[in-house]
Amino acid sequence: MNDSNSQATGDLRSSYRTVRQRSERLCAPLETEDYCVQPIPEVSPIKWHLAHTTWFFEAFVLQEFVPNYRVYNSSFNYLFNSYYDTIGNYFPRPDRGNLTRPLVKEVYEYREHVDQAMQSLLQSAIGPEIRDRVILGLNHEQQHQELMVTDFKYILGKNPLRPSYIGNFSKLESQAVDSLTYSTFDEGMVKVGMEMNGSGFCFDNETPEHQVYLAPYLLSNRLITNGEFEEFVQDGGYNDPRLWLSDGWAEKNKRGWLLPEYWSGEHAERTEYSLSGDRELDASQPVTHISLYEADAFARWAGARLATEFEWEHATRSRGAEELSRVPSDNDLHPRPALHSNRLQQLIGECWEWTSSSYSPYPGYTPLKGALGEYNGKFMANQFVLRGGSVATPPGHIRTTYRNFFYAHDRWQFTGIRLARDVG
Amino acid sequence: MNDSNSQATGDLRSSYRTVRQRSERLCAPLETEDYCVQPIPEVSPIKWHLAHTTWFFEAFVLQEFVPNYRVYNSSFNYLFNSYYDTIGNYFPRPDRGNLTRPLVKEVYEYREHVDQAMQSLLQSAIGPEIRDRVILGLNHEQQHQELMVTDFKYILGKNPLRPSYIGNFSKLESQAVDSLTYSTFDEGMVKVGMEMNGSGFCFDNETPEHQVYLAPYLLSNRLITNGEFEEFVQDGGYNDPRLWLSDGWAEKNKRGWLLPEYWSGEHAERTEYSLSGDRELDASQPVTHISLYEADAFARWAGARLATEFEWEHATRSRGAEELSRVPSDNDLHPRPALHSNRLQQLIGECWEWTSSSYSPYPGYTPLKGALGEYNGKFMANQFVLRGGSVATPPGHIRTTYRNFFYAHDRWQFTGIRLARDVG
Amino acid sequence: MNDSNSQATGDLRSSYRTVRQRSERLCAPLETEDYCVQPIPEVSPIKWHLAHTTWFFEAFVLQEFVPNYRVYNSSFNYLFNSYYDTIGNYFPRPDRGNLTRPLVKEVYEYREHVDQAMQSLLQSAIGPEIRDRVILGLNHEQQHQELMVTDFKYILGKNPLRPSYIGNFSKLESQAVDSLTYSTFDEGMVKVGMEMNGSGFCFDNETPEHQVYLAPYLLSNRLITNGEFEEFVQDGGYNDPRLWLSDGWAEKNKRGWLLPEYWSGEHAERTEYSLSGDRELDASQPVTHISLYEADAFARWAGARLATEFEWEHATRSRGAEELSRVPSDNDLHPRPALHSNRLQQLIGECWEWTSSSYSPYPGYTPLKGALGEYNGKFMANQFVLRGGSVATPPGHIRTTYRNFFYAHDRWQFTGIRLARDVG
Amino acid sequence: MNDSNSQATGDLRSSYRTVRQRSERLCAPLETEDYCVQPIPEVSPIKWHLAHTTWFFEAFVLQEFVPNYRVYNSSFNYLFNSYYDTIGNYFPRPDRGNLTRPLVKEVYEYREHVDQAMQSLLQSAIGPEIRDRVILGLNHEQQHQELMVTDFKYILGKNPLRPSYIGNFSKLESQAVDSLTYSTFDEGMVKVGMEMNGSGFCFDNETPEHQVYLAPYLLSNRLITNGEFEEFVQDGGYNDPRLWLSDGWAEKNKRGWLLPEYWSGEHAERTEYSLSGDRELDASQPVTHISLYEADAFARWAGARLATEFEWEHATRSRGAEELSRVPSDNDLHPRPALHSNRLQQLIGECWEWTSSSYSPYPGYTPLKGALGEYNGKFMANQFVLRGGSVATPPGHIRTTYRNFFYAHDRWQFTGIRLARDVG
């Protein structure tokens, strides 16, 4: 959620309503059953997301700032705390999918209760501390909105019945994509990251703003397409260990990967599951739902490499992000083909782009105080940074400084590939 | 389901309706969410049971015997085939809990469709082959009724909210149980097992009737109580490897068992989860939800042993099963204390009693022909026989020759302990 | 080791020397390196066997019966106790292969020390209790002699260099084997098992002698050959789930079994590793190194079944074991083809024959007192009985009542297949 | 191995002899048994190291550059190829410890054979390509010398008998260490890395030399001691999840870590296994054998952080590495206490220092051509960089630009902790 210091409390109340309603609107096409399961540990039940984001406001705003606030249900503090050790024990993540209770309707009642308490609070005069917490809570909920999309996609897409989430997506006409070109960036000192309490919200992991030196580099102007990735498949890319990181080769073999997640069928009749169901693979759309390992192997096969997170950020900042993206909408939950243009595009809101950068603290990074210090900091090991947001990222939530992070083997997010090269 | 050759088709139609309705009545207190999850691989989602038992009639009766029968949904043959390799591939068992579709209401529609087709068939003149299949299908559904009870008990009982299945069980007054006594049985040749196509239904694993020689033995007149098992716990039974089978000791340590399933709290305030929720442990009720390993360790601690399946069957037959049980009812899904009597009791319908007998074929055993030969035969390794039925066993389903079987580590069934001893 | 009450102490001293020397003679062809590794948990390092059998005499004879006996090395009580919880903690079995110390030569020094103490003891007047312990210790060492053979076979046979244990086995001329015939046995009460303290040694798991009733049965006159098993392979036996026990099918897939252990190469050029190295598969030799699951699937494929342990014992006893076997020798560590005869043969000393009997206590079974009660009793779950001994069984160690036991998936022993059938 | 372009072939021949002999000298105190086992997958058998380093010369020098060179044993190409997919299949790493053959003496014969061929080659006129390969092979062997030390330490140190590698280490007098102070470094552009084919050898992962911008920082002048780490332990550091990275907390719990590797005993009588056996923990020695997770948790507990690899490299370069280390020797295989000095020390040759930097390619990094491109590049994911070398690092092998890398959970290397802080 974008926000600024000058935003009035009335705006905050409105933002609160808007964001919270969007979570529920996203779930409208789901059936009760779809809210309840956890096919893999990283995919949480949808009702858990709805309850956890609510608990976040209860634990970090209402309980801290509203005198005499009565906790809605004390066991929810255990069930819907995700990972905040400072707050106390929490229910084991891999077992979230075993919880048939609270019921979906009870979770909605919980949301209603907390929303009312929040609206009361937001009608009073609130100081900057509460204000910052609410804004953080809304951004937190937006992150879970993206996870809800990827999670119900996994739940529906792995079901042999291949149900669609909603059937009426407008199908774009498939059309050839221009061949890949690159933009050049000069060497130099560049600014990356953002100041907290600057103009607008950011997470602590984007701070502080600082300088880095970049050698000159090339960045491909668009994302890699399904058609290009199919060439990699046809060329035996999944069978040639020389293209793969050592850990990636092991992981691929262990998991039996032969294609991107959601692809199926033989070459001649390849299909891809999207949220409107299985459909013929569209060669012009960006390839998505691939691991870092596949992205990296593709890049090596193509004689290129992945960009660092700073190369990506510098390129995006310097060209102006507004030029670089089309506005995604809730009605279009699949990445779209590139435009016919040699300009840098598809940077924002199509696919999260795997970078070669490990997720590490910026120089001078200081986590938030208290339990919220666990929000980002403790995950800064063994994961990779992704940039740019995806079709599942809520409008207004993404920034050029935004750092998302996943394990190299994760495939259930809308992840994609952009190539980079050294100059010279 | 008990049945006899002389039963008219009208009776079969009525039995069909009764049994099928009972499955749905058992589910009446459940919420949609409760139908959908699989906390451990051996606990299947309730809606899966409802669909699988329906598929059984569709695959083994309607498709085989009704000309031009149109399969309701061809993918259900994949989703709801449990393990019949002869019929084809089936969905992996550990992933049943990931299937949010078909919806619960769609499963009920499937049941309705098959019930109508079955009722049509049963209104026509049917031969003995169809008749036998239908009776098998009803007994199959009754087995799943028991599994549904133990499965939703697990689903609800492992939820930190400890929901009750239904709240109005009549609580029996707790009362002291008489101290343990034994009945004596002489050596001799005895008949065990049953003839298929004899007077009434049996599964193929109960056949053929045959003779075995039994040495003299003693059998305890009632089941072991919670109070007696608590003494074993207090005496360090879970910490003394000399009491345990080697595999049992390893399994106990791996799984961290310190108490029976569903027990919790410290000694002074021990509680047990029942289908009406957590409640104070009743010392007079039979201990239940224990593995064979715990039953065996308890017996060794008590200076006794478990009975063989034939010792149990002979004792039960010779005393007359009708004297040995009280009629259980759907309203009382927890084993009840013994009566004040030194006669052999609690043999039928309280707890499945672990025997020391491995699940093996009887001499001359022949599985059913075709796919149904997979019903029982292929499980005859590494499991133990249990006898007597439990409070979750449907009325009329249990027999003195009935052989149930589970792995030695399984605890989620209503399992209990009866002791035996050698004479002399 | 066969023994009788009338055997003089001098004989015992001589037996002690003979048995102990045989262990060391078996190891003579090994290199130091071959003594030290544990490729799978069930294969112990050879030096561990040499030390453990020595510890057995130290712990159960010298420490118990020799006043002021000084323990050789107190840490050996921890390192070389296999599984006797009554005695105390023991080193974890799967880590035995990590122990580079004590050295092989130190283990031999330990053996020498204990042998001297034992010889001193055996030169004195000893009572029956000591005598029984010594005899048990010698039989225990003989069991480990067999394990040493199968363990170093595994260690050498899984090495890509395929070293031979000793190169000069006389290769028998391959010759066709007569087609399979069966002997018939009538129904009746038969005696099985043995009395402890009767005429000669037995393990507690063979006691007490007792009666069982057998229905009439047929037993194949010889073991199944490599050639016959190859037919099963060629007929797709490993790919047809209907032939397999459910657990067996899962295990086969998990372990990737496509052939018996030690077989390799394509059909036309199949080889088998023997202790003299890889060699062309001999169609006339008995198939060996197969799991119970493969034996059972083969039997089902052949329209037969495995025998129960009592069917085997009765047949072997009634025909006279001495007729049934050829004397194996240390020079010939591979099962040999059947003779041209329709009489029951190959029952003793070729391959351990998987029976369909689970390993359970006999009626009235009482384990030995004290720690030695753990010798056999605590393993009576989840394993299957094998009968008859193998080429690796020391001369004089096997009996018609002898019960060996392994898990259904174990393949590294010299296991084989004999078929049985019902009559009528 | 340090080297320069001007070094004559005679020097190379001499270097070859020196390095190769050092490997064998390191093994002199070992017994044959100690060469053969693999207690954890990352610890390879010592004889495997001896053979693999030899194979490296055979595969990358002799086979490529010596016409008509006859491979010593073709199966060694399979057994002793570590991970070079370009060359072909290789024996599975976790099974190296099962290989009792080739024997230790056969491995030494293999070494002798290859050494003779190499000496012949080095007596001829060789070009720069061969020369570079030989130098790479020697540096490769030196890396394995370090692994041999840490591997036999693990093999001996995990044995309950706690054998010493060699008994006559001179024990330093324990003495208090000065309290921790920091050196300050200004912000600025700094050079890191090295040019290949520059003055002396480096690995490809150190290239190319390039610039990075550093913010100002503080670096502690010495390593963290056992005494300081014991304070962390006493303060409950292993029980407070707020101090740990999320992955670290999970790993610690999974592995049951309560202390550094090789520590044992209660607080009052803490001991540490060193290569001269168990001994009282010396509070003044650097703590070693800890994971990145423990290093990171300690730093957080101490209100500091780990340095980045570039902060470390810049500090080390700017102060002059020669001042920063004492020459380690083969006789002293344990890190030594700091000197009484506030100057930056212990940077080289005491403990590998965990940095907060993930192991990634430098900008413009190009792997070596051909199979040797797999040497470093394919491991650039999920590992962390360590700097400075340890007491086990061969003399002359370490550099300020040297990048070692291990997984965050690895503890069997001589790893230690140096703290850093932000300025202001």
Side-chain angles (χ1 to χ4, degrees), chain D residues 263-280:
Chain D
W263 286 26
S264 57
E266 296 302 311
H267 172 46
E269 41 196 23
R270 196 81 81 200
T271 60
E272 180 179 27
Y273 177 78
S274 75
L275 279 163
S276 54
D278 269 346
R279 61 186 184 199
E280 191 187 341

Side-chain angles (χ1 to χ4, degrees), chain C residues 260-335:
Chain C
E261 192 80 77
Y262 300 122
W263 285 28
S264 57
E266 295 303 312
H267 172 48
E269 42 197 23
R270 197 81 82 199
T271 61
E272 180 179 26
Y273 177 79
S274 75
L275 280 162
S276 53
D278 268 348
R279 60 187 184 199
E280 191 186 341
L281 186 69
D282 182 334
S284 71
Q285 288 176 338
V287 65
T288 188
H289 298 296
I290 41 90
S291 65
L292 170 103
Y293 297 126
E294 288 155 302
D296 177 83
F298 178 90
R300 193 166 291 111
W301 173 80
R305 59 171 174 84
L306 301 180
T308 67
E309 61 169 322
F310 300 133
E311 289 172 340
W312 186 95
E313 182 170 334
H314 172 61
T316 305
R317 275 186 169 184
S318 59
R319 297 299 158 98
E322 71 289 344
E323 302 186 48
L324 308 171
S325 63
R326 288 172 285 167
V327 178
S329 81
D330 287 6
N331 293 331
D332 188 10
L333 290 166
H334 205 83

Side-chain angles (χ1 to χ4, degrees), chain B residues 1 18 62 145 171 195 212 279 285 296 336 342 388:
Chain B
M1 202 198 76
T18 304
L62 298 175
Q145 286 171 2
K171 179 75 162 53
E195 282 312 308
V212 297
R279 61 188 185 199
Q285 287 176 339
D296 177 83
R336 292 154 304 174
N342 277 342

Side-chain angles (χ1 to χ4, degrees), chain A residues 85-86 90 187 189 211-213 215 241-242 244-247 249 292-293 300 305 356-361 363-366 374 377-384 407-408 422, chain D residues 85-86 90 187 189 211-213 215 241-242 244-247 249 292-293 300 305 356-361 363-366 374 377-384 407-408 422:
Chain A
D85 290 297
T86 307
Y90 39 85
E187 66 151 352
M189 293 295 294
Q211 303 183 82
V212 297
Y213 172 77
R242 294 167 304 172
W244 293 72
L245 287 163
S246 178
D247 284 359
W249 185 249
L292 171 104
Y293 297 126
R300 194 166 291 110
R305 60 171 174 84
S356 65
S357 299
S358 296
Y359 180 46
S360 304
Y365 166 67
T366 313
E374 299 184 54
K378 71 182 180 182
F379 302 105
M380 289 177 173
N382 307 323
Q383 305 200 43
F384 282 81
Y407 290 102
D422 298 322
Chain D
D85 291 297
T86 307
Y90 40 86
E187 67 151 353
M189 293 294 296
Q211 302 183 82
V212 296
Y213 171 76
R242 294 168 304 175
W244 293 70
L245 287 163
S246 178
D247 283 0
W249 185 250
L292 170 103
Y293 297 127
R300 194 166 290 110
R305 60 171 174 83
S356 64
S357 299
S358 295
Y359 181 47
S360 303
Y365 167 66
T366 313
E374 300 184 54
K378 71 181 179 181
F379 302 106
M380 290 178 173
N382 308 322
Q383 305 200 43
F384 282 81
Y407 290 102
D422 298 323

Side-chain angles (χ1 to χ4, degrees), chain D residues 181-376:
Chain D
T181 57
Y182 286 82
S183 294
T184 307
F185 295 86
D186 294 335
E187 67 151 353
M189 293 294 296
V190 303
K191 288 216 164 173
V192 294
M194 188 166 172
E195 282 312 307
M196 194 159 291
N197 306 320
S199 59
F201 173 82
C202 70
F203 287 108
D204 63 5
N205 64 5
E206 302 168 56
T207 68
E209 190 179 43
H210 65 289
Q211 302 183 82
V212 296
Y213 171 76
L214 295 181
Y217 64 101
L218 302 172
L219 198 66
S220 75
N221 285 319
R222 60 164 173 77
L223 297 172
I224 295 302
T225 64
N226 284 330
E228 287 158 340
F229 200 85
E230 179 76 48
E231 286 179 55
F232 169 78
V233 173
Q234 292 307 312
D235 196 39
Y238 278 88
N239 299 317
D240 186 350
R242 294 168 304 175
L243 297 172
W244 293 70
L245 287 163
S246 178
D247 283 0
W249 185 250
E251 198 79 24
K252 173 191 84 68
N253 290 329
K254 193 181 90 183
R255 296 176 185 255
W257 291 339
L258 298 169
L259 291 173
E261 192 80 77
Y262 299 123
W263 286 26
S264 57
E266 296 302 311
H267 172 46
E269 41 196 23
R270 196 81 81 200
T271 60
E272 180 179 27
Y273 177 78
S274 75
L275 279 163
S276 54
D278 269 346
R279 61 186 184 199
E280 191 187 341
L281 185 71
D282 182 334
S284 70
Q285 287 176 341
V287 66
T288 188
H289 297 297
I290 41 91
S291 65
L292 170 103
Y293 297 127
E294 288 156 300
D296 176 84
F298 179 89
R300 194 166 290 110
W301 173 81
R305 60 171 174 83
L306 300 179
T308 67
E309 63 169 321
F310 299 133
E311 288 171 340
W312 186 96
E313 182 170 334
H314 173 59
T316 305
R317 276 187 167 184
S318 58
R319 298 298 158 99
E322 72 290 344
E323 301 185 48
L324 308 171
S325 63
R326 287 173 286 167
V327 177
S329 80
D330 287 7
N331 292 331
D332 188 9
L333 290 167
H334 206 83
R336 293 155 302 176
L339 302 177
H340 292 292
S341 158
N342 277 343
R343 300 195 57 187
L344 202 49
Q345 58 173 314
Q346 293 184 310
L347 285 153
I348 298 290
E350 297 297 339
C351 291
W352 288 103
E353 302 179 25
W354 284 110
T355 73
S356 64
S357 299
S358 295
Y359 181 47
S360 303
Y362 283 172
Y365 167 66
T366 313
L368 294 176
K369 291 232 172 65
L372 287 167
E374 300 184 54
Y375 196 109
N376 279 307

Side-chain angles (χ1 to χ4, degrees), chain C residues 124-145:
Chain C
S124 63
I126 57 168
E129 195 178 9
I130 296 181
R131 175 182 186 72
D132 286 353
R133 282 290 173 85
V134 174
I135 292 172
L136 178 63
L138 293 175
N139 278 275
H140 173 258
E141 180 132 359
Q142 288 179 312
Q143 291 187 308
H144 280 274
Q145 286 170 3

